[in-house]
mmCIF file of all heavy atoms in Angstrom:
data_model
loop_
_atom_site.group_PDB
_atom_site.id
_atom_site.type_symbol
_atom_site.label_atom_id
_atom_site.label_comp_id
_atom_site.label_asym_id
_atom_site.label_seq_id
_atom_site.Cartn_x
_atom_site.Cartn_y
_atom_site.Cartn_z
ATOM 1 N N ARG I 25 5.223 -0.215 -32.101
ATOM 2 C CA ARG I 25 6.188 -1.308 -31.896
ATOM 3 C C ARG I 25 6.900 -1.199 -30.478
ATOM 4 O O ARG I 25 7.130 -2.297 -29.969
ATOM 5 C CB ARG I 25 7.258 -1.256 -33.065
ATOM 6 C CG ARG I 25 6.578 -1.720 -34.386
ATOM 7 C CD ARG I 25 7.548 -2.041 -35.382
ATOM 8 N NE ARG I 25 6.747 -2.438 -36.543
ATOM 9 C CZ ARG I 25 7.357 -2.769 -37.593
ATOM 10 N NH1 ARG I 25 8.634 -2.972 -37.718
ATOM 11 N NH2 ARG I 25 6.611 -3.154 -38.758
ATOM 12 N N LEU I 26 7.164 -0.077 -30.096
ATOM 13 C CA LEU I 26 7.737 0.068 -28.759
ATOM 14 C C LEU I 26 6.807 -0.518 -27.692
ATOM 15 O O LEU I 26 7.195 -1.156 -26.825
ATOM 16 C CB LEU I 26 8.071 1.563 -28.516
ATOM 17 C CG LEU I 26 9.296 2.096 -29.241
ATOM 18 C CD1 LEU I 26 9.339 3.570 -28.930
ATOM 19 C CD2 LEU I 26 10.567 1.418 -28.797
ATOM 20 N N ARG I 27 5.513 -0.148 -27.899
ATOM 21 C CA ARG I 27 4.514 -0.673 -26.995
ATOM 22 C C ARG I 27 4.473 -2.246 -26.986
ATOM 23 O O ARG I 27 4.285 -2.840 -25.978
ATOM 24 C CB ARG I 27 3.113 -0.056 -27.302
ATOM 25 C CG ARG I 27 2.107 -0.171 -26.163
ATOM 26 C CD ARG I 27 0.773 0.316 -26.508
ATOM 27 N NE ARG I 27 0.862 1.738 -27.157
ATOM 28 C CZ ARG I 27 0.445 1.881 -28.372
ATOM 29 N NH1 ARG I 27 -0.159 0.981 -29.089
ATOM 30 N NH2 ARG I 27 0.548 3.136 -28.906
ATOM 31 N N ASP I 28 4.639 -2.793 -28.181
ATOM 32 C CA ASP I 28 4.606 -4.224 -28.342
ATOM 33 C C ASP I 28 5.682 -4.937 -27.503
ATOM 34 O O ASP I 28 5.512 -6.003 -26.981
ATOM 35 C CB ASP I 28 4.747 -4.685 -29.745
ATOM 36 C CG ASP I 28 3.552 -4.400 -30.571
ATOM 37 O OD1 ASP I 28 2.446 -4.252 -29.980
ATOM 38 O OD2 ASP I 28 3.643 -4.516 -31.810
ATOM 39 N N ILE I 29 6.897 -4.259 -27.342
ATOM 40 C CA ILE I 29 7.984 -4.866 -26.608
ATOM 41 C C ILE I 29 8.085 -4.342 -25.178
ATOM 42 O O ILE I 29 8.993 -4.588 -24.442
ATOM 43 C CB ILE I 29 9.292 -4.586 -27.350
ATOM 44 C CG1 ILE I 29 9.620 -3.182 -27.505
ATOM 45 C CG2 ILE I 29 9.336 -5.377 -28.671
ATOM 46 C CD1 ILE I 29 11.106 -2.954 -28.031
ATOM 47 N N GLY I 30 7.061 -3.484 -24.813
ATOM 48 C CA GLY I 30 7.011 -2.951 -23.393
ATOM 49 C C GLY I 30 8.039 -1.882 -23.068
ATOM 50 O O GLY I 30 8.511 -1.748 -21.992
ATOM 51 N N VAL I 31 8.324 -0.994 -24.162
ATOM 52 C CA VAL I 31 9.274 0.084 -23.856
ATOM 53 C C VAL I 31 8.606 1.326 -24.238
ATOM 54 O O VAL I 31 7.958 1.461 -25.235
ATOM 55 C CB VAL I 31 10.531 -0.109 -24.739
ATOM 56 C CG1 VAL I 31 11.501 0.991 -24.618
ATOM 57 C CG2 VAL I 31 11.247 -1.418 -24.414
ATOM 58 N N THR I 32 8.843 2.382 -23.431
ATOM 59 C CA THR I 32 8.258 3.738 -23.728
ATOM 60 C C THR I 32 9.206 4.489 -24.640
ATOM 61 O O THR I 32 10.407 4.086 -24.764
ATOM 62 C CB THR I 32 8.096 4.560 -22.542
ATOM 63 O OG1 THR I 32 9.383 4.882 -21.831
ATOM 64 C CG2 THR I 32 7.106 3.887 -21.457
ATOM 65 N N ARG I 33 8.751 5.466 -25.275
ATOM 66 C CA ARG I 33 9.596 6.360 -26.151
ATOM 67 C C ARG I 33 10.777 6.909 -25.395
ATOM 68 O O ARG I 33 11.890 6.878 -25.862
ATOM 69 C CB ARG I 33 8.704 7.459 -26.793
ATOM 70 C CG ARG I 33 9.429 8.594 -27.544
ATOM 71 C CD ARG I 33 10.168 8.201 -28.734
ATOM 72 N NE ARG I 33 9.259 7.431 -29.688
ATOM 73 C CZ ARG I 33 9.702 6.651 -30.646
ATOM 74 N NH1 ARG I 33 11.042 6.530 -30.822
ATOM 75 N NH2 ARG I 33 8.841 6.039 -31.430
ATOM 76 N N ASP I 34 10.491 7.360 -24.186
ATOM 77 C CA ASP I 34 11.520 8.012 -23.298
ATOM 78 C C ASP I 34 12.627 6.907 -23.020
ATOM 79 O O ASP I 34 13.765 7.226 -23.040
ATOM 80 C CB ASP I 34 10.911 8.436 -22.088
ATOM 81 C CG ASP I 34 11.962 9.341 -21.138
ATOM 82 O OD1 ASP I 34 12.621 10.107 -21.792
ATOM 83 O OD2 ASP I 34 12.064 8.996 -19.980
ATOM 84 N N GLN I 35 12.257 5.697 -22.670
ATOM 85 C CA GLN I 35 13.229 4.655 -22.417
ATOM 86 C C GLN I 35 14.056 4.332 -23.591
ATOM 87 O O GLN I 35 15.139 4.187 -23.472
ATOM 88 C CB GLN I 35 12.506 3.354 -21.914
ATOM 89 C CG GLN I 35 11.834 3.417 -20.540
ATOM 90 C CD GLN I 35 10.989 2.262 -20.233
ATOM 91 O OE1 GLN I 35 10.333 1.783 -21.088
ATOM 92 N NE2 GLN I 35 10.996 1.920 -18.998
ATOM 93 N N ALA I 36 13.396 4.261 -24.753
ATOM 94 C CA ALA I 36 14.061 3.961 -25.995
ATOM 95 C C ALA I 36 15.200 5.048 -26.328
ATOM 96 O O ALA I 36 16.232 4.693 -26.704
ATOM 97 C CB ALA I 36 13.112 3.861 -27.148
#
Side-chain angles (χ1 to χ4, degrees):
R25 292 198 178 182
L26 288 172
R27 194 175 321 113
D28 286 345
I29 62 172
V31 177
T32 65
R33 169 68 50 202
D34 186 49
Q35 290 170 326

